[in-house]
Amino acid sequence: MTDRPISTDADVDSSAFRDSDLHEGRHAADSLRAMLIRRPRSALYNYWRDLLNLPVFSETVKSVEVLDATHSRWVVDGPGGKDVALTSVITEDLADRRIAWTSTQGSDVDHEGWIEFRDHPFGRGTEVRLFISYDPPGGVVGKAIAKVMQREPRLQARRELRRFKQLMETGEISTSRAPDAAPRGSRRL
């Protein structure tokens, strides 16, 4: 038996946000959110990197057209149900780790964002961090409308990550909405 005390120190990164993680975007509205997803980070990165997958789980992204290896055109659901066209360029692409993007000139909305994939220090899956920053259409009024319509970045980032987690862990996204194709019975009281 040894007289040395057993160390409980672990050389691991915390999954909590640190000051170096804080990021203020260049735009009027921004958010940084994180979520633990029980899937390997390479699987999560690969699914997200195929931009055509974004409308599958995103409530706001209606369509994505890939223009080339780094440029894409998105149509998103804007305030008041108005479609907003965004053209994005990928500014950073680190396989299995990080994807960053920003808007190009001519986009209806100036925006930027990034997503990071980090192994959980105790092997419990992948921590996914999503940052979104943009100037809402309509300036201050548009920002207020986005908040009322629950389209602000803070809510959007949380919802997108939650839906992404559901899809990656279970293969489906739960919803309380009735399927569009479901027959409706008449309501007689």
Side-chain angles (χ1 to χ4, degrees):
M1 191 161 184
T2 179
D3 291 335
R4 289 185 308 172
I6 297 173
S7 174
T8 58
D9 293 337
D11 187 20
V12 295
D13 240 359
S14 168
S15 61
F17 288 114
R18 297 178 304 269
D19 286 343
S20 63
D21 293 327
L22 298 178
H23 188 286
E24 289 193 20
R26 296 177 292 145
H27 306 291
D30 58 32
S31 178
L32 175 62
R33 294 287 177 197
M35 187 163 289
L36 181 64
I37 301 177
R38 294 183 182 272
R39 289 289 307 273
R41 88 179 144 145
S42 63
L44 300 177
Y45 166 87
N46 289 333
Y47 192 86
W48 193 289
R49 183 58 180 91
D50 182 353
L51 300 177
L52 298 177
N53 288 327
L54 296 180
V56 172
F57 65 87
S58 175
E59 289 179 313
T60 56
V61 178
K62 290 180 150 183
S63 67
V64 175
E65 176 188 2
V66 176
L67 304 174
D68 61 34
T70 58
H71 292 81
S72 58
R73 185 175 298 118
W74 304 12
V75 175
V76 298
D77 187 21
K82 180 183 172 193
D83 286 351
V84 176
L86 309 171
T87 303
S88 296
V89 60
I90 294 176
T91 57
E92 186 177 21
D93 188 0
L94 303 172
D96 298 342
R97 293 180 41 214
R98 180 180 169 96
I99 304 165
W101 61 90
T102 191
S103 58
T104 61
Q105 284 188 339
S107 292
D108 289 348
V109 174
D110 288 332
H111 68 280
E112 68 175 326
W114 51 258
I115 186 162
E116 282 186 346
F117 307 91
R118 298 179 181 182
D119 289 332
H120 187 271
F122 299 108
R124 295 186 178 140
T126 303
E127 182 179 338
V128 179
R129 295 177 185 216
L130 176 63
F131 174 75
I132 300 171
S133 176
Y134 66 90
D135 288 328
V140 175
V141 173
K143 187 175 181 180
I145 291 171
K147 192 169 193 166
V148 169
M149 302 293 289
Q150 296 189 351
R151 298 285 184 172
E152 64 179 337
R154 183 178 53 83
L155 293 172
Q156 280 182 294
R158 185 176 67 217
R159 286 182 181 150
E160 302 299 353
L161 280 178
R162 186 180 67 236
R163 292 170 61 87
F164 184 57
K165 175 184 176 75
Q166 289 175 359
L167 183 62
M168 293 295 95
E169 290 183 349
T170 68
E172 63 185 13
I173 299 169
S174 64
T175 180
S176 60
R177 287 186 280 170
D180 293 334
R184 303 280 189 249
S186 61
R187 293 184 134 189
R188 297 178 194 220
L189 299 174

